[in-house]
Amino acid sequence: MKKLYSKKPMTLGIGLIFMAFTSSFMFSNPTCPRSYTNAPKAIIGGQVKNCTNCHGDFSINTGGGSVVATGLPSGTYTPGTAYNFTIKINHGTSDKTVWGFAIKAVNTVDNTCTGTFSTTNANASVKGSLANQDLELSHATAATSGAANNYTYLNLKWTAPASPTANESNIRFYIVGVAGDNDGSEAGDYVYSTTVNAVLGTLPVTLSSFNVTQGNSQAVNIKWQTAQEVNTARFELEASDNGNIWKNVTSIAAKGNSTVTQSYAYTDMAATVSSGTYYYRLKIVDKDGTVNYSTIKSIQIKGAAVVIVPATSVPAKTHSNIAFKLQSNGSKSFSILVSDNIGRMLYKKELAVNSGTNTIEIPGNLVSNTSGIIYIRFSSNGFEQTFKQVIE
């Protein structure tokens, strides 16, 4: 009997020591266990667990408090966007001194992890990996405080998948928080849990290309294509000579709604009067006023005192005026000479232009009886440029 009696307290003592060690280890050790967020498992048959599996004195969400995440995507998320967020653990009374949390993001179709976590908080760390389907962000060494009823973990970040799969159209964040006594046991530790849902947002437009080049005419050619447009109102082309202060160059109406490739183009002459680096971007305006910006494109401008570009379609229509845009870096006098393809002069005019953009038109009735090809020559103080124009 004596031998049996002596074993009982030993067994009980070892059990109490193990329980105390387990509670302290699980709550404050940098290698605290994963998969305790209430998130369902991607593996069929996996057990759904939360912190009450270790801190089990009270049922979840019964301590008069809550766990709240602020800054996660609310309602919709944008691919590739980094969301800075905080997690605040609240408790019903001001008597808690140690705080822990864990968060996991999964899609709602097959429960696989999605997006990535990162942090600069010394009391938090990323654990697991996407490859192993156990990626989480949680406390490392659990944060401590004086007796309080809340604690906030700062400097947490979740980055949305850059190219979401069909399953990742709907994402759910599973979040748990623990408010504890830091007494080395589970007694008095409360667990709170919540979820946050986000769906893949639809951008007003999907740009498939955006290019800026300078042609032989010195003008800057801006071209872009869209693969998809959803309630898109317009594109506002903006330019800058320093990358900070932007001005509107032009506004071009969008197709609005499209699931096939749409092409847009604009020729900017104003940038070519002076040399240097020039920047362009697209301001994409949705019909409800939502604004998104394209990436910024830069180009090294080869300056020119005069830039002339045709403003009439090719071929030109008989009886229609033939228009040109002439950009000058100052007031100048120009001579305009129009001839046919055998050298006969059809039209001649002396013209004064102003600094900036000038619109020049060749009267259509002067060449209305001529079909085929004509040549239009501009000349001014050493400058000369000839354009070939087809008329039908």
Side-chain angles (χ1 to χ4, degrees), residues 343-366:
R344 292 179 300 180
M345 185 177 68
L346 304 175
Y347 175 76
K348 183 176 181 180
K349 184 177 179 64
E350 300 297 324
L351 181 70
V353 301
N354 299 317
S355 176
T357 301
N358 300 261
T359 299
I360 299 172
E361 291 191 342
I362 310 299
N365 60 351
L366 295 179

Side-chain angles (χ1 to χ4, degrees), residues 82-120:
Y83 295 89
N84 296 299
F85 68 97
T86 63
I87 289 181
K88 183 178 182 180
I89 305 110
N90 301 294
H91 185 60
T93 55
S94 300
D95 59 352
K96 300 306 170 191
T97 57
V98 63
W99 314 85
F101 83 96
I103 179 172
K104 186 175 185 177
V106 301
N107 74 62
T108 60
V109 177
D110 59 10
N111 302 315
T112 56
C113 294
T114 185
T116 57
F117 289 104
S118 59
T119 183
T120 57

Side-chain angles (χ1 to χ4, degrees), residues 45-65:
Q47 182 183 359
V48 177
K49 298 180 290 186
N50 62 61
C51 297
T52 57
N53 285 71
C54 302
H55 305 269
D57 287 355
F58 305 102
S59 298
I60 198 166
N61 293 328
T62 58

Side-chain angles (χ1 to χ4, degrees), residues 59 72 75 78 133 151 178 190 245 266 295-296 337 346 359 363:
S59 298
L72 288 173
T78 302
Q133 289 304 309
Y151 182 85
V178 181
Y190 287 85
I245 300 174
Y266 182 78
T295 56
I296 296 173
L337 179 65
L346 304 175
T359 299

Side-chain angles (χ1 to χ4, degrees), residues 23-36:
S23 177
S24 178
F25 179 85
M26 298 289 237
F27 196 27
S28 62
N29 192 282
T31 57
C32 63
R34 293 184 291 278
S35 301
Y36 286 84

Side-chain angles (χ1 to χ4, degrees), residues 266-313:
Y266 182 78
T267 299
D268 184 19
M269 299 191 302
T272 61
V273 175
S274 60
S275 301
T277 303
Y278 223 58
Y279 304 87
Y280 290 92
R281 71 182 183 185
L282 290 173
K283 180 180 179 181
I284 306 165
V285 184
D286 198 6
K287 290 180 178 179
D288 65 2
T290 302
V291 172
N292 287 279
Y293 288 91
S294 71
T295 56
I296 296 173
K297 298 290 185 177
S298 64
I299 185 170
Q300 189 67 31
I301 298 296
K302 297 173 290 184
V306 177
V307 178
I308 305 174
V309 294
T312 299
S313 62

